[in-house]
Amino acid sequence: MARITGQELLADSKLGPFIMRVPFRFLSVFLSASLMVAVMVAVPLSAAIRGNVAPAGGISPQFLEALEYSTGVGPKGAASGDLNHDGWLDLVVANSTDNTVSVLLGKGDGTFQVHVDYPTGKGPSSVAIANLNGDGNPDLVVTNSTDNSISVLKSNGDGTFQSHLDRPANDLPQSVAVADFNHDQKLDLALVNVGPDQAH
């Protein structure tokens, strides 16, 4: 497993500064909602996809029967985006038991190809998709709650990814958000950690 310093990762990926000290209670509702969604859609060794159907009158959403797709072991978090520039949404699933992320490329009709797995740090708990280095390709950022790190997997542009590069994080990172928080034209990371009022 490659280990580099935070400065090297920031310089290499053109990431902006980390967000510091936002009270955890402001994010607790979001985190609780995320855990509820994860329980609804993640089943052992699979990820369930439900298609949203608008009923007559458009009052409340209904869902089609779940389509289940195999992933790595212990799926815990998921993200969607166009990973290979074909105009179709793909899926990435963080697998906390076998320390991988599963990439399922979309077929364009709401179904997905067989998963391809990529190693991460230990205990991946969430994943985000963002173009971190400005090359136009969507990269992956993974929080690893067992070894207290984040993993960055750079995209090759075709839906495949390079080996993960890791950066230390505070204790038990559970979730990550990526955005240009300070308007310096560089993407920043906000991490939610388990602990007394922690977000970084």
Side-chain angles (χ1 to χ4, degrees), residues 86-112:
D86 63 359
W88 300 336
L89 286 177
D90 310 303
L91 287 178
V92 183
V93 179
N95 305 305
S96 61
T97 302
D98 65 2
N99 305 319
T100 63
V101 289
S102 296
V103 173
L104 295 82
L105 296 179
K107 297 180 180 180
D109 59 358
T111 64
F112 297 87

Side-chain angles (χ1 to χ4, degrees), residues 16 21-22 62 88 99 101 109 113 118 153 168 171 177 187 191:
R21 304 291 178 192
V22 178
Q62 298 176 353
W88 300 336
N99 305 319
V101 289
D109 59 358
Q113 300 178 27
Y118 297 88
L153 291 80
D171 290 346
L187 291 177
L191 304 178

Side-chain angles (χ1 to χ4, degrees), residues 19-30:
I19 300 305
M20 303 299 292
R21 304 291 178 192
V22 178
F24 176 77
R25 59 182 171 273
F26 291 151
L27 299 177
S28 62
V29 173
F30 171 78

Side-chain angles (χ1 to χ4, degrees), residues 52-63:
N52 192 350
V53 178
I59 297 173
S60 61
Q62 298 176 353
F63 294 91

Side-chain angles (χ1 to χ4, degrees), residues 58-172:
I59 297 173
S60 61
Q62 298 176 353
F63 294 91
L64 299 174
E65 290 300 315
L67 300 176
E68 295 187 356
Y69 294 91
S70 176
T71 66
V73 183
K76 192 168 184 180
S80 63
D82 183 2
L83 302 178
N84 56 355
H85 303 288
D86 63 359
W88 300 336
L89 286 177
D90 310 303
L91 287 178
V92 183
V93 179
N95 305 305
S96 61
T97 302
D98 65 2
N99 305 319
T100 63
V101 289
S102 296
V103 173
L104 295 82
L105 296 179
K107 297 180 180 180
D109 59 358
T111 64
F112 297 87
Q113 300 178 27
V114 174
H115 66 99
V116 177
D117 295 343
Y118 297 88
T120 65
K122 294 182 180 179
S125 53
S126 70
V127 59
I129 301 171
N131 178 20
L132 299 177
N133 58 355
D135 64 357
N137 296 324
D139 310 301
L140 305 181
V141 183
V142 183
T143 55
N144 304 306
S145 58
T146 299
D147 63 5
N148 300 324
S149 70
I150 60 169
S151 295
V152 173
L153 291 80
K154 288 187 178 181
S155 172
N156 293 318
D158 58 0
T160 64
F161 294 87
Q162 301 175 26
S163 298
H164 64 103
L165 300 175
D166 294 347
R167 182 205 196 286
N170 282 13
D171 290 346
L172 301 172

